[in-house]
Amino acid sequence: MKIKLIGATESVTGSKHLLLTESGSQILLDCGLFQGMGRETDELNRKLNLNPAHLEAILLTHAHIDHSGAIPYYVSQGFRGRIYCTEATFDVCKLLLLDSANIQESDIFYINKKRFKQGKKALEPLYTEKDAVGALKQFHPVKSGAEIKINNEVSFHFTETGHIIGAAAINLTLKKENNIRKLTYTGDIGRYTDPIMKKPQVFPQADFVICESTYGDRLHEETKNMEGRFLDIVCNTCITKKGKLIIPAFSLGRTQEILYILNKLEYKDRLPNINIYVDSPLSTEVTKVVKKHKECFNKELVHYIQSDPTPFDFENLYYIKDVEASKEINRSKEPCIIISASGMGDAGRVKHHIKYAIEDSRNTILVMGYCAPYTLCHRLLSGEESVHIFGDYFKVKAEITSILSLSAHADQNELVQFLACQDKNKLKTIFLVHGEEEAKAEFKIKLLEEGFYNVQIPAPGDVYDLFE
């Protein structure tokens, strides 16, 4: 029985790993899209590296598009098996996969307009809304902790990782004749100080662990005075400079965390009297789903809800759906906070807000999460003096700052903490994935120092025999 590491081996996107059993069964762990890879992105996503029609099942750790976004494409290419995930992950996928399909169709429309002018043949979208709707019919949500038998060789159960609602590690039991191996695929691991989510759950002893390493080479900022720093940025921008605070935020996770912080400030009567806009239809719908899954909340938030049952709603907060209303915010001169997707600034309405705000020194662009190389927010944080947006260059005059303590990914110490439940003498190998080259290399050194004796950094397509 073998594991083939396919995606997110040289980057933090495109997660997918293929389990190959002795009887010929094929099971895919995650099925994500590559994102933020420049011109190579589309080519990477169309390259399958396997035959979807041969897959018996897909096991999904969580709903983020870099882990789930290729599922409709695989369905369109012949995958007919079940897709297993937690109940919360399924609820979020119902929103994110349809949104991703709309993006695929919209992007290809504009690409084909240019190709038409160049006399080139039109391209088809990676997948359509119809493909996404069809894929959702193959989802089979299960409760975290329930043992699920896929076939006589493979069973699994989920354990929560605290990354976003529904996020869970996949703990597999693999059988070959009279021998048993335990394989855990972590997916993305959350924080032990997350303002909303429960702490990552202890997982059972494994023989092999496929572990993410996004922040394997660094430690996050302290969260102790994060609220105070956030409030200082709000007051400096909106009160002192009378400008706009633009916050690129992922629709799932980051947007709700920001709203919860603002809610607490408003509850303490510390928030200035300014309008706050969540300008993302997807964020609005996702927030409704997050509210539904209180079983994912940590003790602090559960306790807070007893005195304030609406932690993501407060005075002067407006959820924007209409495009014209979004444009009106840009035309307005009023100081305000605009929370909008996407989190890396490379797509969605936030890109328009950055365009209109970037050349005014009164404004601030606040980055609050990981930004892949080549993305707009990464370029802004790198200190570029001008940036390319929608075909034009804009001088960077707005203040660019960041608060990275809200990251949904565990840092180096938290990754070690997550793995500390394992007996190092029984753990045969840790495979590091979902990290840039330097992050994985540094994390490998750290794990070896901690006493983990066999740590591998797979290359794309590397295959490992789990019963050797």
Side-chain angles (χ1 to χ4, degrees):
M1 196 172 295
K2 299 175 181 179
I3 188 75
K4 181 178 182 180
L5 291 303
I6 299 174
T9 49
E10 293 183 313
S11 67
V12 296
T13 64
S15 291
K16 54 183 79 73
H17 309 293
L18 184 64
L19 182 66
L20 304 154
T21 75
E22 294 300 305
S23 68
S25 175
Q26 298 184 17
I27 298 165
L28 193 62
L29 311 181
D30 276 349
C31 188
L33 284 181
F34 289 95
Q35 297 173 298
M37 308 291 284
R39 294 180 179 179
E40 297 178 10
T41 305
D42 186 68
E43 182 182 347
L44 285 168
N45 285 324
R46 292 180 189 273
K47 187 177 181 181
L48 287 166
N49 294 302
L50 55 86
N51 187 340
H54 293 168
L55 291 174
E56 181 174 358
I58 294 174
L59 311 186
L60 182 59
T61 60
H62 65 288
H64 276 152
I65 292 300
D66 62 319
H67 291 257
S68 72
I71 289 174
Y73 181 51
Y74 277 49
V75 169
S76 74
Q77 299 299 307
F79 171 63
R80 296 294 178 264
R82 282 184 169 183
I83 302 158
Y84 293 95
C85 64
T86 64
E87 293 167 333
T89 291
F90 177 53
D91 284 344
V92 178
C93 278
K94 285 186 283 188
L95 298 174
L96 296 195
L97 292 183
L98 289 173
D99 181 70
S100 178
N102 289 331
I103 291 172
Q104 301 298 327
E105 294 183 272
S106 174
D107 285 353
I108 210 70
F109 174 78
Y110 287 104
I111 289 171
N112 282 337
K113 283 180 70 175
K114 292 182 179 180
R115 291 179 67 88
F116 179 76
K117 292 178 181 178
Q118 297 166 351
K120 296 180 179 179
K121 183 180 177 181
L123 301 175
E124 292 295 321
L126 188 66
Y127 55 84
T128 65
E129 185 174 326
K130 182 180 178 181
D131 296 324
V133 170
L136 289 168
K137 294 176 182 177
Q138 294 174 221
F139 273 70
H140 188 76
V142 299
K143 292 187 179 297
S144 182
E147 191 72 20
I148 308 298
K149 182 179 179 180
I150 297 178
N151 54 43
N152 290 331
E153 297 169 288
V154 181
S155 63
F156 77 95
H157 70 272
F158 290 118
T159 50
E160 298 173 32
T161 58
H163 175 59
I164 58 171
I165 63 163
I170 303 167
N171 305 282
L172 297 121
T173 299
L174 311 174
K175 297 179 181 178
K176 179 183 176 183
E177 298 173 349
N178 295 323
N179 296 316
I180 292 177
R181 293 286 187 271
K182 301 282 188 174
L183 167 67
T184 291
Y185 169 44
T186 67
D188 290 351
I189 301 162
R191 308 288 312 281
Y192 288 83
T193 56
D194 191 279
I196 293 176
M197 301 298 302
K198 289 179 181 176
K199 294 179 181 179
Q201 188 178 351
V202 169
F203 65 100
Q205 180 64 46
D207 297 294
F208 302 94
V209 174
I210 304 172
C211 184
E212 75 120 315
S213 55
T214 310
Y215 287 119
D217 61 341
R218 70 195 76 176
L219 303 178
H220 291 314
E221 299 174 354
E222 289 287 337
T223 59
K224 291 179 180 177
N225 195 38
M226 189 266 297
E227 277 186 29
R229 180 152 180 256
F230 185 83
L231 182 60
D232 287 343
I233 294 170
V234 171
C235 292
N236 180 55
T237 302
C238 301
I239 305 303
T240 303
K241 297 193 297 181
K242 300 191 183 305
K244 295 178 180 178
L245 176 59
I246 314 295
I247 308 177
F250 296 110
S251 297
L252 174 59
R254 189 58 35 75
T255 292
Q256 292 76 39
E257 290 171 348
I258 295 167
L259 290 177
Y260 180 38
I261 294 167
L262 290 167
N263 180 291
K264 289 193 287 184
L265 290 170
E266 196 269 346
Y267 187 76
K268 297 172 185 175
D269 201 26
R270 298 180 66 195
L271 192 63
N273 185 27
I274 55 174
N275 287 339
I276 298 163
Y277 302 101
V278 175
D279 187 18
S280 166
L282 180 60
S283 296
T284 301
E285 295 305 313
V286 167
T287 301
K288 293 177 184 177
V289 173
V290 172
K291 291 176 184 177
K292 172 184 172 183
H293 286 281
K294 294 182 175 62
E295 77 278 3
C296 298
F297 295 171
N298 62 32
K299 292 180 180 178
E300 179 189 338
L301 180 52
V302 170
H303 178 73
Y304 183 81
I305 288 173
Q306 293 175 4
S307 57
D308 182 357
T310 57
F312 310 118
D313 295 289
F314 46 89
E315 193 174 353
N316 293 336
L317 174 64
Y318 302 93
Y319 287 91
I320 304 298
K321 290 188 177 182
D322 183 71
V323 174
E324 284 304 314
S326 176
K327 292 178 180 178
E328 183 58 36
I329 298 172
N330 285 325
R331 289 191 288 262
S332 172
K333 301 297 182 183
E334 67 162 350
C336 63
I337 299 173
I338 303 171
I339 305 162
S340 187
S342 70
M344 299 187 194
D346 246 19
R349 292 184 182 179
V350 77
K351 197 169 182 180
H352 293 271
H353 293 304
I354 292 173
K355 170 186 171 181
Y356 282 97
I358 195 73
E359 294 192 317
D360 190 334
S361 61
R362 294 174 299 174
N363 301 326
T364 300
I365 297 167
L366 173 59
V367 179
M368 300 188 75
Y370 175 83
C371 297
Y374 312 114
T375 59
L376 177 55
C377 284
H378 184 274
R379 298 199 304 272
L380 290 172
L381 287 176
S382 298
E384 293 190 10
E385 295 182 357
S386 66
V387 289
H388 193 254
I389 307 174
F390 295 126
D392 294 311
Y393 280 95
F394 294 84
K395 293 183 178 179
V396 180
K397 295 182 181 179
E399 181 180 349
I400 311 298
T401 190
S402 65
I403 297 177
L404 300 181
S405 57
L406 273 184
S407 172
H409 284 272
D411 65 12
Q412 186 185 81
N413 285 345
E414 290 167 321
L415 289 169
V416 172
Q417 184 177 351
F418 181 75
L419 294 170
C421 63
Q422 298 294 290
D423 184 332
K424 296 166 186 171
N425 294 318
K426 295 179 180 178
L427 185 57
K428 300 179 185 300
T429 309
I430 298 175
F431 304 104
L432 298 185
V433 297
H434 202 286
E436 304 296 343
E437 184 176 344
E438 184 176 340
K440 287 182 291 191
E442 287 294 323
F443 190 40
K444 177 178 180 177
I445 293 171
K446 176 67 174 178
L447 288 176
L448 293 173
E449 290 174 350
E450 292 289 328
F452 295 95
Y453 65 91
N454 189 4
V455 183
Q456 299 289 328
I457 300 178
D462 277 359
V463 177
Y464 295 86
D465 193 325
L466 302 176
F467 279 85
E468 274 189 339

